[in-house]
Coordinates of all heavy atoms in Angstrom, one line a residue:
M1 N 76.5 -8.7 -1.4 CA 75.5 -7.7 -1.3 C 76.2 -6.4 -0.6 O 76.8 -6.6 0.4 CB 74.4 -8.2 -0.4 CG 73.3 -7.1 -0.2 SD 72.4 -6.7 -1.6 CE 70.8 -6.5 -1.0
P2 N 76.1 -5.3 -1.2 CA 76.7 -4.1 -0.5 C 76.1 -3.8 0.8 O 74.9 -4.1 1.0 CB 76.5 -2.9 -1.6 CG 75.6 -3.6 -2.6 CD 75.4 -5.0 -2.4
T3 N 76.9 -3.1 1.7 CA 76.3 -2.7 2.9 C 76.1 -1.2 2.8 O 76.5 -0.6 1.9 CB 77.3 -3.0 4.1 OG1 78.5 -2.3 3.8 CG2 77.6 -4.5 4.3
H4 N 75.2 -0.7 3.8 CA 75.0 0.8 3.7 C 74.6 1.3 5.1 O 74.2 0.6 6.0 CB 73.8 1.0 2.7 CG 72.5 0.8 3.3 ND1 71.9 -0.4 3.4 CD2 71.6 1.7 3.8 CE1 70.7 -0.3 4.0 NE2 70.4 1.0 4.2
D5 N 74.8 2.6 5.1 CA 74.3 3.4 6.3 C 73.5 4.5 5.8 O 73.6 4.9 4.5 CB 75.5 4.0 7.1 CG 76.1 3.0 8.0 OD1 75.5 2.2 8.6 OD2 77.4 2.9 8.0
E6 N 72.7 5.2 6.6 CA 71.9 6.3 6.2 C 72.1 7.5 7.2 O 72.1 7.2 8.4 CB 70.4 6.0 6.1 CG 70.1 4.9 5.1 CD 68.6 4.4 5.3 OE1 67.9 4.9 6.2 OE2 68.2 3.6 4.5
T7 N 72.3 8.7 6.8 CA 72.4 9.8 7.7 C 71.0 10.1 8.2 O 70.0 9.8 7.6 CB 73.1 11.0 7.0 OG1 72.2 11.4 6.0 CG2 74.4 10.7 6.5
T8 N 71.0 10.9 9.3 CA 69.7 11.3 9.8 C 69.0 12.3 8.8 O 67.8 12.2 8.6 CB 70.0 12.1 11.1 OG1 70.6 11.2 12.0 CG2 68.6 12.6 11.7
A9 N 69.8 13.1 8.1 CA 69.3 13.9 7.1 C 68.6 13.1 6.0 O 67.6 13.5 5.5 CB 70.4 14.9 6.5
F10 N 69.2 12.0 5.5 CA 68.7 11.2 4.5 C 67.3 10.6 5.0 O 66.4 10.6 4.2 CB 69.6 10.0 4.1 CG 69.0 9.0 3.2 CD1 69.1 9.3 1.8 CD2 68.4 7.9 3.6 CE1 68.6 8.4 0.9 CE2 67.9 7.0 2.7 CZ 68.0 7.3 1.3
Q11 N 67.3 10.1 6.2 CA 66.1 9.5 6.7 C 65.0 10.6 6.8 O 63.8 10.3 6.5 CB 66.3 8.9 8.1 CG 67.2 7.7 8.0 CD 67.7 7.3 9.4 OE1 67.4 7.9 10.5 NE2 68.4 6.1 9.5
R12 N 65.3 11.8 7.2 CA 64.3 12.9 7.3 C 63.9 13.2 5.9 O 62.7 13.4 5.7 CB 65.0 14.1 8.0 CG 64.1 15.3 8.1 CD 64.8 16.5 8.7 NE 65.9 16.9 7.9 CZ 67.2 16.9 8.2 NH1 67.5 16.6 9.5 NH2 68.1 17.3 7.4
D13 N 64.8 13.3 4.9 CA 64.4 13.7 3.6 C 63.5 12.6 3.0 O 62.5 12.9 2.3 CB 65.7 13.7 2.7 CG 66.6 14.9 2.9 OD1 66.2 15.9 3.6 OD2 67.7 14.9 2.5
R14 N 63.8 11.3 3.2 CA 63.1 10.2 2.6 C 61.6 10.3 3.2 O 60.7 10.0 2.4 CB 63.7 8.9 3.0 CG 63.1 7.7 2.3 CD 63.7 6.4 2.7 NE 63.6 6.2 4.1 CZ 64.5 5.6 4.9 NH1 65.6 5.1 4.3 NH2 64.4 5.5 6.2
N15 N 61.5 10.6 4.5 CA 60.1 10.7 5.0 C 59.3 11.8 4.4 O 58.1 11.8 4.5 CB 60.2 10.8 6.5 CG 60.7 9.6 7.2 OD1 60.6 8.5 6.7 ND2 61.3 9.7 8.4
R16 N 59.9 12.8 3.8 CA 59.3 13.9 3.2 C 58.9 13.7 1.8 O 58.1 14.4 1.2 CB 60.1 15.2 3.2 CG 60.3 15.7 4.6 CD 61.2 17.0 4.6 NE 61.4 17.5 6.0 CZ 62.5 18.2 6.3 NH1 63.4 18.5 5.4 NH2 62.6 18.6 7.5
L17 N 59.4 12.6 1.2 CA 59.0 12.3 -0.2 C 57.5 11.9 -0.3 O 57.0 11.3 0.6 CB 59.8 11.1 -0.8 CG 61.3 11.3 -0.9 CD1 62.0 10.0 -1.3 CD2 61.7 12.5 -1.7
T18 N 56.9 12.3 -1.4 CA 55.6 11.9 -1.7 C 55.6 10.4 -2.0 O 56.6 9.8 -2.2 CB 54.9 12.6 -2.9 OG1 55.7 12.3 -4.1 CG2 55.0 14.1 -2.7
D19 N 54.4 9.8 -2.0 CA 54.3 8.3 -2.3 C 54.8 8.1 -3.7 O 55.6 7.1 -4.0 CB 52.9 7.9 -2.2 CG 52.4 7.8 -0.8 OD1 53.2 7.8 0.1 OD2 51.1 7.7 -0.6
A20 N 54.5 9.0 -4.6 CA 55.0 8.8 -6.0 C 56.5 8.9 -6.1 O 57.2 8.1 -6.8 CB 54.4 9.8 -7.0
Q21 N 57.1 9.9 -5.4 CA 58.5 10.0 -5.4 C 59.2 8.8 -4.8 O 60.2 8.4 -5.2 CB 58.9 11.3 -4.6 CG 58.6 12.6 -5.3 CD 58.8 13.8 -4.4 OE1 58.5 13.8 -3.2 NE2 59.3 14.9 -4.9
T22 N 58.6 8.3 -3.7 CA 59.2 7.2 -3.0 C 59.2 6.0 -3.9 O 60.2 5.3 -4.0 CB 58.3 6.8 -1.7 OG1 58.4 7.9 -0.9 CG2 58.9 5.6 -1.1
E23 N 58.1 5.8 -4.7 CA 58.1 4.6 -5.6 C 59.2 4.8 -6.7 O 59.9 3.8 -7.1 CB 56.8 4.5 -6.2 CG 55.7 3.9 -5.2 CD 56.2 2.7 -4.5 OE1 56.6 1.7 -5.2 OE2 56.1 2.6 -3.3
R24 N 59.3 6.0 -7.2 CA 60.3 6.3 -8.3 C 61.7 6.1 -7.7 O 62.6 5.5 -8.4 CB 60.2 7.8 -8.8 CG 61.1 8.2 -9.8 CD 60.8 7.5 -11.1 NE 61.7 8.0 -12.1 CZ 62.0 7.5 -13.3 NH1 61.3 6.5 -13.7 NH2 62.8 8.0 -14.1
F25 N 62.0 6.6 -6.5 CA 63.3 6.4 -5.9 C 63.6 4.9 -5.7 O 64.7 4.5 -6.0 CB 63.4 7.2 -4.6 CG 64.7 6.9 -3.8 CD1 65.9 7.4 -4.4 CD2 64.7 6.2 -2.6 CE1 67.2 7.2 -3.8 CE2 65.9 6.0 -2.0 CZ 67.1 6.5 -2.6
K26 N 62.6 4.1 -5.2 CA 62.8 2.7 -5.0 C 63.2 2.0 -6.3 O 64.0 1.1 -6.3 CB 61.6 2.1 -4.3 CG 61.5 2.5 -2.8 CD 60.2 1.7 -2.3 CE 60.0 2.0 -0.9 NZ 58.8 1.3 -0.3
A27 N 62.5 2.4 -7.3 CA 62.8 1.7 -8.7 C 64.2 2.0 -9.1 O 64.9 1.1 -9.6 CB 61.8 2.2 -9.7
R28 N 64.7 3.2 -8.9 CA 66.0 3.5 -9.3 C 67.1 3.0 -8.4 O 68.1 2.6 -8.7 CB 66.3 5.0 -9.5 CG 65.3 5.7 -10.5 CD 65.4 5.0 -11.8 NE 66.6 5.3 -12.5 CZ 67.0 4.8 -13.6 NH1 66.3 3.9 -14.2 NH2 68.2 5.1 -14.1
L29 N 66.7 2.9 -7.1 CA 67.5 2.3 -6.1 C 67.8 0.8 -6.4 O 68.9 0.3 -6.3 CB 66.8 2.4 -4.7 CG 67.6 1.8 -3.5 CD1 69.0 2.5 -3.4 CD2 66.8 1.9 -2.3
A30 N 66.8 0.1 -6.9 CA 67.0 -1.3 -7.3 C 68.1 -1.4 -8.4 O 68.9 -2.3 -8.4 CB 65.7 -1.9 -7.8
D31 N 68.0 -0.4 -9.4 CA 69.1 -0.4 -10.4 C 70.5 -0.1 -9.8 O 71.5 -0.7 -10.2 CB 68.7 0.7 -11.4 CG 67.5 0.4 -12.2 OD1 67.1 -0.8 -12.3 OD2 66.9 1.3 -12.8
F32 N 70.5 0.8 -8.9 CA 71.7 1.3 -8.2 C 72.4 0.1 -7.5 O 73.5 -0.2 -7.7 CB 71.4 2.4 -7.3 CG 72.6 3.0 -6.6 CD1 73.3 4.1 -7.2 CD2 73.0 2.6 -5.4 CE1 74.4 4.7 -6.6 CE2 74.1 3.2 -4.7 CZ 74.8 4.2 -5.3
I33 N 71.5 -0.6 -6.7 CA 72.1 -1.8 -6.0 C 72.5 -2.9 -6.9 O 73.5 -3.5 -6.7 CB 71.0 -2.3 -5.0 CG1 70.8 -1.2 -3.9 CG2 71.4 -3.6 -4.4 CD1 69.6 -1.5 -3.0
G34 N 71.7 -3.1 -8.0 CA 72.1 -4.1 -9.0 C 73.5 -3.8 -9.6 O 74.3 -4.6 -9.8
D35 N 73.7 -2.5 -9.9 CA 75.0 -2.1 -10.4 C 76.1 -2.3 -9.4 O 77.3 -2.7 -9.7 CB 75.0 -0.6 -10.9 CG 74.2 -0.5 -12.2 OD1 73.7 -1.4 -12.7 OD2 74.0 0.7 -12.6
L36 N 75.9 -2.0 -8.1 CA 76.9 -2.2 -7.1 C 77.2 -3.7 -7.0 O 78.4 -4.1 -6.9 CB 76.4 -1.8 -5.7 CG 76.2 -0.3 -5.5 CD1 75.5 0.0 -4.2 CD2 77.6 0.4 -5.5
K37 N 76.2 -4.6 -7.1 CA 76.5 -6.0 -7.1 C 77.4 -6.4 -8.3 O 78.3 -7.3 -8.1 CB 75.2 -6.8 -7.1 CG 74.4 -6.7 -5.8 CD 73.1 -7.5 -5.9 CE 72.3 -7.4 -4.7 NZ 71.0 -8.1 -4.9
E38 N 77.1 -5.9 -9.4 CA 77.9 -6.2 -10.6 C 79.3 -5.7 -10.5 O 80.2 -6.3 -10.9 CB 77.2 -5.6 -11.9 CG 75.9 -6.2 -12.2 CD 76.0 -7.6 -12.8 OE1 76.8 -7.8 -13.7 OE2 75.4 -8.5 -12.3
M39 N 79.4 -4.6 -9.8 CA 80.8 -4.0 -9.6 C 81.6 -4.9 -8.6 O 82.8 -5.2 -8.9 CB 80.8 -2.6 -9.0 CG 80.4 -1.5 -10.0 SD 80.5 0.1 -9.3 CE 78.9 0.7 -9.6
E40 N 80.9 -5.4 -7.6 CA 81.5 -6.3 -6.6 C 82.0 -7.6 -7.3 O 83.1 -8.1 -7.0 CB 80.6 -6.6 -5.5 CG 80.4 -5.5 -4.5 CD 79.3 -5.8 -3.5 OE1 78.6 -6.8 -3.6 OE2 79.2 -5.0 -2.5
A41 N 81.2 -8.0 -8.3 CA 81.5 -9.2 -9.0 C 82.5 -9.1 -10.1 O 82.9 -10.0 -10.8 CB 80.2 -9.9 -9.5
G42 N 82.9 -7.8 -10.4 CA 83.9 -7.5 -11.4 C 83.3 -7.4 -12.8 O 84.0 -7.5 -13.8
R43 N 81.9 -7.4 -12.9 CA 81.3 -7.4 -14.2 C 80.9 -6.0 -14.7 O 80.4 -5.8 -15.8 CB 80.0 -8.3 -14.2 CG 80.3 -9.7 -14.0 CD 79.1 -10.6 -14.1 NE 78.2 -10.4 -13.1 CZ 78.1 -11.2 -12.0 NH1 78.9 -12.1 -11.8 NH2 77.2 -10.8 -11.0
R44 N 81.2 -5.0 -13.9 CA 80.8 -3.6 -14.2 C 81.8 -2.7 -13.5 O 82.3 -3.0 -12.4 CB 79.4 -3.3 -13.8 CG 78.9 -1.9 -14.1 CD 77.5 -1.7 -13.6 NE 76.5 -2.2 -14.5 CZ 76.1 -1.6 -15.6 NH1 76.6 -0.5 -15.9 NH2 75.2 -2.2 -16.3
S45 N 82.3 -1.7 -14.2 CA 83.2 -0.8 -13.6 C 82.6 0.5 -13.1 O 83.2 1.2 -12.2 CB 84.3 -0.4 -14.6 OG 83.8 0.3 -15.7
W46 N 81.4 0.8 -13.5 CA 80.6 2.0 -13.0 C 79.2 1.8 -13.2 O 78.7 0.8 -13.8 CB 81.2 3.3 -13.8 CG 80.7 4.6 -13.1 CD1 79.9 5.5 -13.7 CD2 81.1 5.0 -11.8 NE1 79.8 6.5 -12.8 CE2 80.5 6.3 -11.7 CE3 81.9 4.5 -10.8 CZ2 80.6 7.1 -10.5 CZ3 82.0 5.3 -9.7 CH2 81.3 6.5 -9.5
F47 N 78.4 2.7 -12.8 CA 77.0 2.7 -12.8 C 76.4 2.9 -14.3 O 77.1 3.6 -15.1 CB 76.3 3.7 -12.0 CG 76.7 3.6 -10.5 CD1 77.8 4.2 -9.9 CD2 76.0 2.7 -9.7 CE1 78.1 4.0 -8.6 CE2 76.3 2.5 -8.4 CZ 77.4 3.2 -7.8
R48 N 75.3 2.4 -14.6 CA 74.7 2.5 -15.9 C 74.4 4.0 -16.1 O 74.1 4.7 -15.2 CB 73.4 1.7 -16.0 CG 72.3 2.2 -15.1 CD 71.1 1.2 -15.0 NE 71.5 0.1 -14.2 CZ 70.8 -1.0 -14.1 NH1 69.7 -1.2 -14.8 NH2 71.2 -2.0 -13.4
P49 N 74.5 4.4 -17.4 CA 74.4 5.8 -17.7 C 73.1 6.4 -17.3 O 73.0 7.6 -16.9 CB 74.5 5.8 -19.2 CG 75.3 4.6 -19.6 CD 74.9 3.6 -18.6
G50 N 72.0 5.7 -17.3 CA 70.7 6.2 -16.9 C 70.6 6.7 -15.5 O 69.7 7.5 -15.2
L51 N 71.4 6.2 -14.7 CA 71.4 6.7 -13.3 C 72.1 8.0 -13.1 O 71.9 8.7 -12.1 CB 72.1 5.7 -12.3 CG 71.3 4.4 -12.1 CD1 72.1 3.4 -11.3 CD2 70.0 4.6 -11.4
R52 N 72.9 8.3 -14.1 CA 73.7 9.6 -14.1 C 74.4 9.9 -12.8 O 74.3 10.9 -12.2 CB 72.7 10.8 -14.4 CG 72.1 10.6 -15.9 CD 71.4 11.8 -16.4 NE 70.8 12.7 -15.5 CZ 69.5 12.9 -15.4 NH1 68.7 12.2 -16.1 NH2 69.1 13.8 -14.5
V53 N 75.1 8.8 -12.4 CA 75.9 9.0 -11.1 C 77.2 9.7 -11.5 O 77.9 9.4 -12.4 CB 76.3 7.6 -10.5 CG1 77.2 7.7 -9.3 CG2 75.0 6.9 -10.2
K54 N 77.4 10.8 -10.8 CA 78.7 11.7 -11.0 C 79.1 12.2 -9.7 O 78.4 12.4 -8.7 CB 78.4 12.7 -12.0 CG 77.3 13.7 -11.6 CD 77.0 14.6 -12.7 CE 75.9 15.6 -12.3 NZ 75.5 16.6 -13.3
K55 N 80.4 12.6 -9.7 CA 80.9 13.3 -8.5 C 80.2 14.6 -8.3 O 79.9 15.4 -9.3 CB 82.4 13.5 -8.6 CG 83.2 12.3 -8.5 CD 84.7 12.5 -8.4 CE 85.4 11.3 -8.2 NZ 86.9 11.5 -8.0
L56 N 80.0 15.0 -7.1 CA 79.4 16.2 -6.7 C 80.5 17.3 -6.7 O 81.5 17.1 -6.1 CB 78.7 16.1 -5.3 CG 77.7 17.2 -5.0 CD1 76.6 17.3 -6.0 CD2 77.1 16.9 -3.6
S57 N 80.2 18.4 -7.4 CA 81.2 19.4 -7.5 C 81.6 20.0 -6.1 O 80.7 20.2 -5.3 CB 80.6 20.6 -8.3 OG 81.5 21.6 -8.5
G58 N 82.9 20.0 -5.9 CA 83.4 20.6 -4.6 C 83.4 19.5 -3.5 O 83.8 19.9 -2.4
R59 N 82.9 18.3 -3.8 CA 82.9 17.3 -2.7 C 83.4 16.0 -3.4 O 82.6 15.2 -3.9 CB 81.5 17.1 -2.2 CG 80.9 18.2 -1.5 CD 81.3 18.3 0.0 NE 81.3 17.1 0.8 CZ 80.3 16.6 1.5 NH1 79.1 17.3 1.6 NH2 80.4 15.6 2.3
P60 N 84.7 15.8 -3.6 CA 85.2 14.7 -4.4 C 84.9 13.3 -3.8 O 84.9 12.3 -4.5 CB 86.8 14.8 -4.2 CG 86.9 15.7 -3.1 CD 85.7 16.6 -2.9
D61 N 84.4 13.2 -2.6 CA 84.0 11.9 -1.9 C 82.5 11.7 -2.0 O 82.1 10.7 -1.5 CB 84.5 11.9 -0.5 CG 83.9 13.0 0.4 OD1 83.6 14.1 -0.2 OD2 83.7 12.8 1.6
V62 N 81.8 12.6 -2.6 CA 80.3 12.5 -2.6 C 79.8 12.5 -4.1 O 80.3 13.2 -4.9 CB 79.6 13.7 -1.9 CG1 78.2 13.6 -2.0 CG2 80.0 13.7 -0.4
Y63 N 78.9 11.6 -4.3 CA 78.3 11.4 -5.6 C 76.8 11.7 -5.6 O 76.2 11.6 -4.6 CB 78.5 9.9 -6.1 CG 79.9 9.6 -6.2 CD1 80.7 9.1 -5.1 CD2 80.6 9.6 -7.4 CE1 82.0 8.8 -5.2 CE2 82.0 9.3 -7.5 CZ 82.6 8.9 -6.4 OH 84.0 8.6 -6.5
E64 N 76.3 12.1 -6.8 CA 74.9 12.4 -7.0 C 74.4 11.4 -7.9 O 75.0 11.0 -8.9 CB 74.9 13.8 -7.6 CG 73.5 14.2 -8.2 CD 73.6 15.5 -9.1 OE1 74.6 16.1 -9.2 OE2 72.5 15.7 -9.6
M65 N 73.2 10.9 -7.7 CA 72.4 10.0 -8.5 C 71.1 10.6 -8.9 O 70.4 11.1 -8.0 CB 72.2 8.7 -7.8 CG 71.4 7.7 -8.6 SD 70.8 6.2 -7.7 CE 69.4 6.8 -6.9
S66 N 70.7 10.5 -10.1 CA 69.4 11.1 -10.5 C 68.4 9.9 -10.5 O 68.7 8.8 -11.0 CB 69.5 11.6 -12.0 OG 70.3 12.7 -12.0
W67 N 67.3 10.1 -9.9 CA 66.2 9.1 -9.9 C 64.9 9.6 -10.5 O 63.9 8.9 -10.7 CB 66.0 8.6 -8.5 CG 65.8 9.6 -7.4 CD1 66.7 10.2 -6.6 CD2 64.5 10.2 -7.0 NE1 66.2 11.1 -5.8 CE2 64.8 11.1 -6.0 CE3 63.2 10.0 -7.4 CZ2 63.8 11.8 -5.3 CZ3 62.2 10.7 -6.8 CH2 62.5 11.6 -5.7
A68 N 64.9 10.9 -10.9 CA 63.8 11.6 -11.5 C 64.3 12.8 -12.1 O 65.4 13.3 -11.9 CB 62.6 11.8 -10.6
S69 N 63.4 13.5 -12.9 CA 63.8 14.7 -13.5 C 64.3 15.8 -12.5 O 65.2 16.6 -12.6 CB 62.8 15.3 -14.5 OG 61.6 15.6 -13.8
D70 N 63.5 15.8 -11.4 CA 63.9 16.7 -10.2 C 64.1 15.8 -9.0 O 63.8 16.2 -7.9 CB 62.9 17.8 -10.0 CG 63.3 18.8 -9.0 OD1 64.6 19.0 -8.9 OD2 62.5 19.4 -8.3
G71 N 64.7 14.7 -9.1 CA 65.0 13.8 -8.0 C 66.4 13.4 -7.9 O 67.0 13.0 -8.9
R72 N 67.0 13.7 -6.8 CA 68.4 13.4 -6.6 C 68.7 12.8 -5.3 O 67.9 12.9 -4.3 CB 69.3 14.7 -6.7 CG 69.2 15.6 -7.9 CD 69.8 14.8 -9.1 NE 69.7 15.6 -10.3 CZ 68.7 15.5 -11.2 NH1 67.7 14.7 -10.9 NH2 68.8 16.2 -12.3
A73 N 69.8 12.0 -5.2 CA 70.2 11.4 -4.0 C 71.7 11.6 -4.0 O 72.4 11.5 -5.0 CB 69.9 9.9 -3.9
T74 N 72.3 11.9 -2.8 CA 73.7 12.0 -2.7 C 74.2 10.8 -1.8 O 73.5 10.4 -0.9 CB 74.2 13.4 -2.0 OG1 73.5 13.5 -0.8 CG2 73.8 14.5 -3.0
V75 N 75.3 10.4 -2.2 CA 75.9 9.1 -1.5 C 77.4 9.2 -1.5 O 78.0 9.8 -2.3 CB 75.4 7.9 -2.4 CG1 75.9 7.9 -3.7 CG2 75.7 6.6 -1.7
A76 N 78.0 8.6 -0.5 CA 79.4 8.5 -0.4 C 79.7 7.0 -0.4 O 78.9 6.2 0.1 CB 79.9 9.1 0.9
I77 N 80.8 6.7 -1.0 CA 81.3 5.3 -1.0 C 82.3 5.2 0.2 O 83.4 5.9 0.1 CB 81.9 4.9 -2.3 CG1 80.8 5.0 -3.4 CG2 82.5 3.4 -2.2 CD1 81.3 4.7 -4.8
G78 N 82.0 4.5 1.2 CA 82.7 4.5 2.5 C 83.7 3.3 2.5 O 83.7 2.5 1.5
D79 N 84.4 3.2 3.5 CA 85.4 2.1 3.7 C 84.6 0.8 3.9 O 83.6 0.8 4.7 CB 86.2 2.3 4.9 CG 87.2 3.5 4.8 OD1 87.6 3.8 3.6 OD2 87.5 4.2 5.8
P80 N 85.0 -0.3 3.3 CA 84.3 -1.5 3.4 C 84.1 -2.0 4.9 O 85.0 -1.8 5.7 CB 85.1 -2.5 2.7 CG 86.0 -1.7 1.7 CD 86.2 -0.4 2.5
I81 N 82.9 -2.5 5.2 CA 82.7 -3.1 6.5 C 82.9 -4.6 6.4 O 83.3 -5.3 7.4 CB 81.3 -2.7 7.0 CG1 81.2 -1.2 7.3 CG2 80.9 -3.6 8.2 CD1 79.8 -0.8 7.6
V82 N 82.5 -5.2 5.3 CA 82.7 -6.6 4.9 C 83.7 -6.7 3.8 O 83.5 -6.0 2.8 CB 81.3 -7.2 4.6 CG1 81.5 -8.7 4.2 CG2 80.3 -7.1 5.7
A83 N 84.7 -7.5 4.0 CA 85.7 -7.6 2.9 C 85.1 -8.0 1.6 O 84.2 -8.9 1.5 CB 86.7 -8.7 3.3
G84 N 85.5 -7.2 0.5 CA 85.0 -7.5 -0.8 C 83.7 -6.9 -1.1 O 83.2 -7.1 -2.2
K85 N 83.1 -6.2 -0.2 CA 81.7 -5.7 -0.4 C 81.8 -4.1 -0.3 O 82.5 -3.6 0.6 CB 80.7 -6.2 0.7 CG 80.6 -7.7 0.7 CD 80.0 -8.2 -0.6 CE 80.0 -9.7 -0.6 NZ 79.6 -10.2 -1.9
L86 N 81.1 -3.5 -1.2 CA 81.1 -2.0 -1.2 C 80.3 -1.5 -0.1 O 79.3 -2.2 0.3 CB 80.6 -1.4 -2.5 CG 81.5 -1.7 -3.7 CD1 80.7 -1.4 -5.0 CD2 82.7 -0.9 -3.7
H87 N 80.6 -0.4 0.5 CA 79.8 0.2 1.6 C 79.3 1.6 1.2 O 80.2 2.5 0.8 CB 80.6 0.4 2.9 CG 79.8 0.9 4.0 ND1 78.8 0.2 4.6 CD2 79.9 2.1 4.6 CE1 78.3 0.9 5.6 NE2 78.9 2.1 5.6
I88 N 78.1 1.9 1.2 CA 77.5 3.1 0.7 C 76.9 3.8 1.9 O 76.3 3.2 2.8 CB 76.3 2.8 -0.3 CG1 76.9 2.0 -1.5 CG2 75.6 4.0 -0.7 CD1 78.0 2.7 -2.2
V89 N 77.1 5.1 1.9 CA 76.5 6.0 3.0 C 75.6 7.0 2.3 O 76.0 7.8 1.5 CB 77.6 6.7 3.8 CG1 76.9 7.6 4.8 CG2 78.6 5.8 4.4
W90 N 74.3 6.8 2.5 CA 73.2 7.7 1.9 C 73.2 9.0 2.7 O 73.1 8.9 4.0 CB 71.9 7.0 1.9 CG 71.8 5.9 0.9 CD1 71.9 4.5 1.2 CD2 71.7 6.0 -0.5 NE1 71.8 3.8 0.1 CE2 71.7 4.6 -1.0 CE3 71.6 7.1 -1.4 CZ2 71.6 4.3 -2.3 CZ3 71.5 6.8 -2.7 CH2 71.5 5.5 -3.2
L91 N 73.4 10.1 2.0 CA 73.5 11.4 2.7 C 72.2 12.2 2.6 O 71.7 12.7 3.6 CB 74.6 12.2 2.0 CG 76.0 11.5 2.0 CD1 77.0 12.3 1.2 CD2 76.5 11.3 3.5
R92 N 71.7 12.4 1.4 CA 70.4 13.2 1.2 C 69.6 12.6 0.1 O 70.1 11.9 -0.8 CB 70.7 14.6 0.8 CG 71.6 15.4 1.8 CD 70.9 15.8 3.1 NE 69.6 16.4 2.9 CZ 69.4 17.8 2.8 NH1 70.4 18.6 2.9 NH2 68.2 18.2 2.7
V93 N 68.3 12.9 0.0 CA 67.5 12.5 -1.1 C 66.3 13.5 -1.2 O 65.8 14.0 -0.2 CB 66.8 11.1 -0.9 CG1 66.0 11.0 0.4 CG2 66.2 10.6 -2.1
G94 N 66.0 13.9 -2.4 CA 64.9 14.8 -2.7 C 65.1 15.5 -4.0 O 65.6 14.9 -4.9
S95 N 64.7 16.8 -4.0 CA 64.8 17.5 -5.3 C 66.2 18.2 -5.4 O 67.1 17.9 -4.6 CB 63.8 18.7 -5.3 OG 64.2 19.6 -4.3
H96 N 66.4 19.0 -6.5 CA 67.7 19.6 -6.7 C 68.1 20.4 -5.4 O 69.3 20.7 -5.2 CB 67.7 20.5 -7.9 CG 67.9 19.9 -9.2 ND1 66.8 19.6 -10.0 CD2 69.0 19.4 -9.8 CE1 67.3 18.9 -11.0 NE2 68.6 18.8 -10.9
G97 N 67.2 20.8 -4.6 CA 67.5 21.6 -3.4 C 68.4 21.0 -2.4 O 69.1 21.7 -1.7
I98 N 68.5 19.6 -2.5 CA 69.4 18.9 -1.5 C 70.9 19.2 -1.9 O 71.8 18.9 -1.1 CB 69.1 17.4 -1.4 CG1 69.5 16.8 -2.8 CG2 67.7 17.2 -1.0 CD1 69.6 15.3 -2.6
L99 N 71.1 19.7 -3.1 CA 72.5 19.9 -3.5 C 73.1 21.2 -3.1 O 74.3 21.4 -3.2 CB 72.6 19.8 -5.1 CG 72.1 18.5 -5.7 CD1 72.1 18.5 -7.2 CD2 72.9 17.3 -5.2
R100 N 72.3 22.0 -2.5 CA 72.8 23.3 -2.0 C 73.5 23.1 -0.7 O 73.3 22.3 0.1 CB 71.7 24.3 -1.9 CG 71.1 24.8 -3.2 CD 70.1 25.9 -3.0 NE 69.2 25.7 -4.1 CZ 67.9 25.4 -4.0 NH1 67.4 25.3 -2.8 NH2 67.1 25.2 -5.0

């Protein structure tokens, strides 16, 4: 199981999501975590196309994940805390505005 951290900004952003946005994010988060587990097991090399995970322009260590038409989350893949397990750092979550 991958490990994770959350920035204060991510926690603040998550608390601002509407109930509908929170449910949509949680559904996509389950897919994201499932893909991470598959990567750890060597059965997948990258995220499923529907998550649209890509490098954030100008920030080679930060990735963007789409969870709705105007829903984005930014994440960094950090140094492993547990051997053989991916470590994710959630940075921001919200609309396209978080990308600025």
Side-chain angles (χ1 to χ4, degrees):
M1 177 72 143
T3 58
H4 82 279
D5 284 317
E6 301 171 356
T7 64
T8 302
F10 176 85
Q11 293 169 354
R12 182 183 59 240
D13 293 342
R14 187 183 57 212
N15 290 335
R16 290 181 182 154
L17 296 177
T18 66
D19 290 343
Q21 289 172 321
T22 298
E23 290 306 311
R24 178 73 176 165
F25 176 65
K26 284 181 180 179
R28 300 310 288 176
L29 180 60
D31 294 337
F32 185 88
I33 292 170
D35 288 356
L36 288 172
K37 289 178 183 177
E38 292 289 309
M39 285 184 234
E40 288 175 346
R43 293 186 294 263
R44 181 179 280 280
S45 62
W46 194 244
F47 298 94
R48 66 190 76 197
L51 290 174
R52 297 190 335 245
V53 176
K54 61 183 179 182
K55 285 187 176 184
L56 196 57
S57 179
R59 298 276 315 266
D61 59 331
V62 177
Y63 297 85
E64 166 191 356
M65 177 190 82
S66 297
W67 52 268
S69 60
D70 190 27
R72 301 292 180 272
T74 55
V75 62
I77 300 176
D79 293 329
I81 293 175
V82 177
K85 303 298 178 186
L86 294 169
H87 182 70
I88 301 302
V89 180
W90 291 101
L91 305 171
R92 301 289 310 269
V93 64
S95 68
H96 278 101
I98 67 162
L99 302 176
R100 288 187 213 117

